Amino acid sequence: MSMLDPVLLFFLLGVVAGLLRSELRMPAAVYDFVSMLLLLAIGLKGGIELARQPFGELALQGLAVIGMGVLLPLLAFPVLRFAGRLPRADAASIAAHYGSVSVGTYAVAAAYFASRQVDFEAHMPFLLALLEIPAILVGILLARGFSREMRVGVVAHEVFLGKGIVLLVGGLLIGWAAGPEGLTPVKPLFFDLFKGILALFLLEMGLITATQFGSLRQHGPFLVLFGIGMPLASSVVGIALGLGLGLSLGGTAMLGILAASGSYIAVPAAMRISVPEANPTLSLDASLGVTFPFNVLVGIPLYHAMATQAFALTGGLGS
Amino acid sequence: MNSSTRKLLTIITESALERILIEEIEHLGARGFTITDARGKGHRGPRDAAWDESSNIRIEILCDDAIADAIARHLRVRYYDDYGMVLFVSDVEVLRPEKFQP
């Protein structure tokens, strides 16, 4: 493997500082700001591209990705419930985390592909936004079925008006409406500074990940195994879907990465409200303590290599 | 000085609950409240407010006995099992008692 991308060194710095109990901590407002910039930048970039895509193709890809968002938690749930012997609520909540996506992982992957000059479909953020939501709904249904009293309004508010979705979709719409020339004046902040912002974001992610390691020890090896095994399996689903949709090599790898990533912002907030009996520590330990570091350090190049193999074998279906 | 006694109800809980709690507290008759961000440690482990999922809030409500009682009972039934929540009531002197009753 070639030299680690410097942004990942920031992540490692955060992990090490956290493990050594350094005093380093990013003020919550700064972390909020940095994650807002990332979400908007990703949205804007995708939005510029949306206007150029034929609607029919977008709709087809969108539906396929929503289908994947429903499928992944349904695959994860029985494993958690029966192999992991977790209570139903916990299994459903963790399954929802793994069916949804991590914008942080996407950002690292985008930087990875950019530095290797691998192109991927630029409207990918549109699929990213779509993939956030279905797993949450599936998770809630897995936890409590259709029957029990559910505060539909509150849950819907949490799901569709969470910070992540609003900024991502808002960015997409602004990018779509303004177009590349319109966005030139804000380009220095959102696009030119992207990697610096990502570095700061990953520094804080490292610190948060380190705090998760501590409680991970209490929950035993199953979560660690699941946190690595599940993204490996999901990435195969994502890559297969990318091939089936006829995406480019970069796009197929990116879809594998999206499938492999696990949420740690939108889903925990929604699950806390809608499935309160699920222990939030379990799902965050798995998705932040295991899967996020695994994906950004090992997974992204691995899924890229898997997609490359798949392309060599099939000759890139559909294209 | 013309003062009289009211209850100060203090709730420390997960910030994820903020929106729902506000609605319920108002529904139960509180006319106002103050919310501050908080961090600390309890039997569910440290809550260091490093990011959204680990942050707490502190809600303070000035009201009369009946409302304090209703809110406390409602929260105990609904949230104590599944959420980190600490709740306590104290007597306080207020200068404009009419502000703090329904």
Side-chain angles (χ1 to χ4, degrees):
Chain A
M1 202 172 81
S2 56
M3 182 57 198
L4 271 185
D5 193 307
V7 294
L8 294 179
L9 296 176
F10 281 85
F11 178 69
L12 292 175
L13 173 64
V15 172
V16 172
L19 289 176
L20 297 177
R21 300 179 183 277
S22 148
E23 269 180 45
L24 177 63
R25 58 180 272 162
M26 189 179 279
V30 174
Y31 173 73
D32 274 352
F33 178 64
V34 165
S35 54
M36 275 177 71
L37 283 178
L38 276 188
L39 286 160
L40 282 171
I42 290 170
L44 288 171
K45 206 159 221 169
I48 295 175
E49 229 19 63
L50 270 189
R52 300 195 192 131
Q53 296 296 318
F55 177 78
E57 201 168 302
L58 278 183
L60 176 69
Q61 293 181 2
L63 283 175
V65 159
I66 289 174
M68 183 169 81
V70 172
L71 175 70
L72 291 177
L74 292 176
L75 291 178
F77 182 72
V79 177
L80 291 156
R81 187 89 173 88
F82 301 111
R85 295 207 204 96
L86 288 168
R88 182 176 172 147
D90 286 325
S93 166
I94 300 175
H97 283 70
Y98 280 85
S100 186
V101 282
S102 143
V103 176
T105 310
Y106 175 85
V108 176
Y112 167 91
F113 286 130
S115 69
R116 277 166 183 71
Q117 272 110 38
V118 177
D119 287 325
F120 59 90
E121 279 73 2
H123 63 279
M124 204 50 92
F126 167 68
L127 303 180
L128 171 76
L130 284 179
L131 199 47
E132 281 218 62
I133 291 170
I136 300 177
L137 304 174
V138 174
I140 295 173
L141 289 179
L142 283 173
R144 44 190 42 189
F146 287 95
S147 54
R148 289 247 312 264
E149 56 129 5
M150 204 166 81
R151 299 184 228 182
V152 180
V154 178
V155 173
H157 192 276
E158 202 65 41
V159 171
F160 292 105
L161 292 172
K163 180 178 80 177
I165 286 288
V166 169
L167 288 172
L168 205 51
V169 173
L172 279 167
L173 291 174
I174 294 173
W176 175 70
E181 294 80 29
L183 286 182
T184 314
V186 294
K187 186 172 163 286
L189 175 61
F190 289 107
F191 300 152
D192 299 353
L193 291 180
F194 186 76
K195 274 209 120 164
I197 295 164
L198 183 59
L200 284 178
F201 174 80
L202 287 172
L203 179 64
E204 171 68 6
M205 287 303 294
L207 289 167
I208 297 173
T209 299
T211 64
Q212 230 67 40
F213 283 159
S215 60
L216 193 59
R217 244 176 279 146
Q218 299 163 9
H219 296 297
F222 174 75
L223 277 187
V224 179
L225 281 178
F226 180 83
I228 294 174
M230 184 65 202
L232 288 174
S234 307
S235 70
V236 174
V237 176
I239 289 170
L241 184 65
L243 282 175
L245 288 171
L247 299 184
S248 66
L249 170 59
T252 302
M254 191 57 111
L255 205 54
I257 292 163
L258 289 185
S261 70
S263 169
Y264 47 81
I265 295 176
V267 180
M271 283 296 138
R272 200 70 198 103
I273 297 297
S274 34
V275 189
E277 62 274 31
N279 179 354
T281 317
L282 287 180
S283 34
L284 283 177
D285 278 353
S287 102
L288 261 179
V290 183
T291 304
F292 182 77
F294 173 76
N295 276 337
V296 295
L297 296 173
V298 183
I300 291 173
L302 179 66
Y303 309 139
H304 183 205
M306 283 161 58
T308 312
Q309 280 293 324
F311 253 64
L313 286 175
T314 61
L317 289 177
S319 58
Chain B
M1 197 166 68
N2 196 6
S3 71
S4 82
T5 308
R6 286 286 175 273
K7 293 290 183 199
L8 169 62
L9 181 65
T10 308
I11 306 158
I12 300 165
T13 190
E14 302 174 24
S15 55
L17 286 178
E18 177 169 331
R19 190 189 313 280
I20 311 181
L21 285 188
I22 290 173
E23 229 170 78
E24 293 176 352
I25 287 166
E26 289 193 311
H27 183 72
L28 289 169
R31 288 182 58 189
F33 50 82
T34 302
I35 299 183
T36 39
D37 292 328
R39 54 201 159 97
K41 182 175 178 178
H43 80 282
R44 286 171 195 250
R47 303 277 300 168
D48 57 7
W51 60 312
D52 293 353
E53 298 319 312
S54 69
S55 56
N56 278 358
I57 48 170
R58 178 159 97 173
I59 309 177
E60 288 166 307
I61 308 160
L62 281 166
C63 55
D64 63 18
D65 293 15
I67 292 174
D69 202 48
I71 295 176
R73 204 171 320 145
H74 171 78
L75 297 184
R76 194 167 56 214
V77 172
R78 186 133 204 181
Y79 297 107
Y80 268 30
D81 285 346
D82 294 325
Y83 292 94
M85 182 177 280
V86 167
L87 183 157
F88 51 90
V89 185
S90 36
D91 289 320
V92 289
E93 300 276 312
V94 295
L95 296 181
R96 293 171 297 172
E98 69 284 355
K99 252 175 93 79
F100 308 114
Q101 51 203 168

